[in-house]
Amino acid sequence: MAVEHTTAIFVAELILLLFFGRLIGEGMTRIGQPAIFGQLLAGVLLGPSVFGALMPEVRQVIFPNTPALKSMIDAVSQIGILLLLLLTGMETNLALVNRKRRAVISTSLMGIAIPFVCGAALAYALPTELIPNPAARLVTALFLGTALSISSVKIVAMVLMEIGAIRRDLGQLILATAILDDTLAWVIIAIISGIAASGAVHLADIGMSLALTALFLAACLTIGRRAVAYIILWCNDNLRIEMPVISAILVITLSMALTTDLIGVHTALGAFMAGMLIGQSPILTEHIEGELRGFIIAFFSPVFFAVAGLGMDLRTLLDPTLLLFTLAIIAVASIGKFLGALAGGKLGGLTGLESLALATGLNARGSTEVIIATIGLSMGALSNQLYTMIVAMAVVTTMIMPPTLRWIMARVPLRDEETKRLDKEDAEENQAVPKMERALVLADDSANGQWATTLAGFFAGRQRVLTTVLEPPRTDADTATPPAKDRLIGAIRSALEDGQPAAPPEAPVAPKPPAEQFVQTRALTAEDG
């Protein structure tokens, strides 16, 4: 096939995937379902199930089975995975997980462990023809167990907002648990992919993967946090090209994905951690985040999910045996997650009704399972039939969750302290305090200057606002007073510590951002007037 024809067909494929993905996604949104279902359905319609069955010759022209075209569309899809994980990481709020850590940790661990074990056991009951490599059935079992045990934080957040429960204590608990689920998922997938790449289970290799993963995570949450914040801030303040921050974010994401690939774990972990660090940058404004989100949602998301739909062949489900196994996967995923989260909620000190709502809310899979299944399919750990079953499970569990959660949440009473908090938040929302990108403080060493830096520090620490300090030249008489920058950092540190109460010794604590991250300093010169 000529190069120009290959390019033309590739463009035609993108047009179809984008057009039908966005169009059917709009229809799904109008009936209260996630847009990704429409994008998946677009791929299914353009795949062998419908388009291929009705017009096989035409489909063969538009979607030919040639290595060049498959590699081109696969490259776009793989970049789409990384960028979607970047967005997921940016939405991850470790402070929220930390505030509700007891119930979150117990629910997440129990909610993952039970369906994971059940899913892995189910993989050993599957017929041999569904396993791509019978000699490596363990890898298939690990992928299936992971796909059946993880909640989708994007879908959970969307449903909570739709039913008006996102601000409730229980809604925040459901969201925090889904966040921890997602975080653990990409660590698990990183390790499993290392096992899949080696083709066998070697304890030394697993130990090395775990050690390198732990080292990578520790580096991200310490020096990585400061480095990412500095890079984004420097690009924003010094570069004059258009959208420098978005370029910096993309370079950081791809670099961290490459790093995890080089240490032998999946690129998904690097992209997800990049999103977590970028989301905590004090200079990341809603405008910049909106531009980045629009770029990803408008192009990469519909292409990725439509390509995922192309890999589904619903004719698989016409076989009674395979349909029975599909129903078994849906049952194991739903019941296992429900029982695990229910037990975790009770261990976390929740009431029976609250635990029931928590277990129901976490039973949405959606985008996370599709990404996991796509990774498993690309690595040869999942067959096309098993891939279709997992995606079908993700769709069914997500469609069932919203009406059941709405019904249960309406029956969970508000606690007194929750009512007071909601009333306080409503009052604060009506205050005319502008959303600020950064604060500018002019402070000398006078009593008023010291008072100003203290107030500015508490404001910057509570609101997580970048603050630039303008300092006039200091004289020898001023050396007894700490510089304005040091006073401001001390006030910010106090605000950060007061805003995050200490945890008991056995509970993990989400790391606080360093106070220095929020402060710049510049000497006041004659040019400033």
Side-chain angles (χ1 to χ4, degrees), residues 35 45 47 110 179 191 203 214 225 276-277 299 320-321 434 457 469 514 518:
L45 293 177
M110 292 292 291
I179 287 171
I191 296 169
L203 293 180
R225 184 195 301 269
M276 284 182 59
L277 300 183
F299 178 72
T321 303
V469 185
F518 296 96

Side-chain angles (χ1 to χ4, degrees), residues 252-323:
I252 290 169
T253 302
L254 296 176
S255 298
M256 292 184 66
L258 177 61
T259 301
T260 51
D261 184 71
L262 292 175
I263 65 175
V265 296
H266 200 274
T267 53
L269 180 62
F272 180 76
M273 290 304 299
M276 284 182 59
L277 300 183
I278 290 164
Q280 295 175 27
S281 172
I283 197 60
L284 189 67
T285 64
E286 288 186 2
H287 175 68
I288 293 173
E289 187 176 352
E291 288 181 334
L292 179 64
R293 183 180 300 275
F295 165 65
I296 296 171
I297 296 299
F299 178 72
F300 284 101
S301 176
V303 170
F304 166 73
F305 286 111
V307 170
L310 284 175
M312 293 183 66
D313 189 350
L314 296 183
R315 293 173 297 182
T316 297
L317 305 181
L318 297 178
D319 184 321
T321 303
L322 297 184
L323 178 60

Side-chain angles (χ1 to χ4, degrees), residues 123-156:
Y124 282 91
L126 294 174
T128 305
E129 57 267 22
L130 290 181
I131 308 298
N133 183 6
R137 187 183 283 260
L138 174 61
V139 176
T140 300
L142 294 175
F143 263 102
L144 184 60
T146 305
L148 268 58
S149 59
I150 304 300
S151 302
S152 172
V153 67
K154 284 181 173 293
I155 301 298
V156 168

Side-chain angles (χ1 to χ4, degrees), residues 464-486:
R464 307 295 175 91
V465 173
L466 182 69
T467 304
T468 299
V469 185
L470 294 179
E471 291 187 285
R474 307 187 80 201
T475 63
D476 293 338
D478 297 327
T479 54
T481 306
K485 179 182 178 181
D486 293 343

Side-chain angles (χ1 to χ4, degrees), residues 1 83 100 139 158 227 232 241 289 332 367 442 493 511 516:
M1 185 182 294
L83 295 181
K100 303 174 182 296
V139 176
M158 186 207 71
I232 292 176
I241 57 174
E289 187 176 352
V332 168
S367 56
L442 172 60
R493 187 176 290 115
E516 293 82 357

